[in-house]
Amino acid sequence: MAVHHIDTPFDLVGLRRSLDSHTCRFDVVALAECASTNVQLLEMAEAGAPSGTVLVAERQTAGRGRRGRIWHSSTGDSLTFSLFWRFPEDSRAPSALSLVVGLAIAQALENLGAGGIALKWPNDLLHENRKLAGILIELLPGAPRAAVIGIGINLSVPATLPEALSEHVIGLDSLLGVMSAREAILGALLAELANTFDIYSDQGFAALRGAWQRRHYFTGRTVRLLFDHAPDVYGICAGVDEDGALLLDIEGICQRFIGGEISLRPA
Ligand code: BTN
């Protein structure tokens, strides 16, 4: 693993220790500040950065969220990073990737001692319906198997966040008896992502689907799907398909929904 510090006190020894046998699979760049780790890593990947390159920033000035939203984070209260990963050329396009990433993060955080983490299709991590982490996946133009995977984890809820927002958010600190160092958290996340990507590349989402469904917060509940350019849809959440599509029971008929521009809410 190569780690490049650019004006940030990121502890590379701590990171290497927690990456353990996965050290050689990653190349970590740590920045004090950037606009968006996703945007910058997309540029680095297009310029030839290898699979396994990680960009972690203390601060983002223009963090990106799903569906064109802004991702707010403040220094010290969140872990914001992006990982570039190339899936094998002979694998299918990674349509369930956002679910796979969510599952890996949930498992890694649980291994650190955080209980009660649930998933929300397609790619949020929740604790009792409060958001713990978000994922934004962007594919390299013209390369459907090369993905920049952006992850934002709330380590704590900023004291300055208005109450209307803070009641929908939860920090990892409130799920852990003793808060881990961010290097240990990042190392655990990267190691679990690499393990889970290996399973996904070899066996597809079918091998991970059961574990994902057991964690889905909305299984069996009535939900509302929001689209950018179509009316809302209501149905009972019946799980996910082998390609990651959401299955909804709508008046007794099972229908599939897939795509990054859909959001799910309780009905
Ligand atoms: C969402 O829930 O809408 C997804 C949020 C993703 C935020 C992360 S923070 C690191 C990476 N860089 C970005 O600009 N966005 C992602």
Side-chain angles (χ1 to χ4, degrees), residues 204-239:
F205 182 60
L208 301 164
R209 182 179 170 206
W212 193 93
Q213 292 190 139
R214 278 192 291 283
R215 288 184 181 276
H216 193 210
Y217 187 76
F218 291 97
T219 299
R221 299 187 193 200
T222 303
V223 296
R224 175 163 70 110
L225 292 190
L226 286 72
F227 300 84
D228 280 346
H229 304 292
D232 295 353
V233 167
Y234 291 79
I236 300 167
C237 191

Side-chain angles (χ1 to χ4, degrees), residues 61-237:
T61 54
R64 300 216 286 211
R66 286 184 61 231
R67 306 182 76 205
R69 288 185 289 241
I70 294 170
W71 176 262
H72 297 279
S73 56
S74 55
T75 312
D77 287 314
S78 53
L79 176 62
T80 49
F81 68 98
S82 300
L83 163 65
F84 174 52
W85 203 264
R86 271 186 195 281
F87 290 87
E89 279 307 315
D90 57 356
S91 65
R92 272 178 274 160
S95 62
L97 182 56
S98 63
L99 286 75
V100 171
V101 173
L103 179 63
I105 296 173
Q107 284 170 343
L109 296 180
E110 195 169 86
N111 292 341
L112 290 174
I117 297 179
L119 298 166
K120 183 178 91 163
W121 187 90
N123 55 2
D124 281 347
L125 280 91
L126 307 177
H127 184 271
E128 290 172 0
N129 208 17
R130 299 169 85 181
K131 186 152 169 167
L132 175 66
I135 299 160
L136 176 67
I137 295 178
E138 300 186 79
L139 300 177
L140 244 62
R145 288 167 196 77
V148 166
I149 299 153
I151 297 170
I153 312 242
N154 299 319
L155 299 179
S156 51
V157 178
T160 51
L161 206 64
E163 204 180 313
L165 290 178
S166 66
E167 65 189 21
H168 299 294
V169 175
I170 193 158
L172 185 62
D173 59 351
S174 64
L175 306 183
L176 292 175
V178 178
M179 188 59 176
S180 308
R182 60 198 174 138
E183 292 81 1
I185 299 169
L186 179 60
L189 292 171
L190 294 175
E192 193 65 39
L193 284 163
N195 282 336
T196 312
F197 288 166
D198 288 346
I199 297 172
Y200 184 43
S201 297
D202 290 349
Q203 303 169 48
F205 182 60
L208 301 164
R209 182 179 170 206
W212 193 93
Q213 292 190 139
R214 278 192 291 283
R215 288 184 181 276
H216 193 210
Y217 187 76
F218 291 97
T219 299
R221 299 187 193 200
T222 303
V223 296
R224 175 163 70 110
L225 292 190
L226 286 72
F227 300 84
D228 280 346
H229 304 292
D232 295 353
V233 167
Y234 291 79
I236 300 167
C237 191

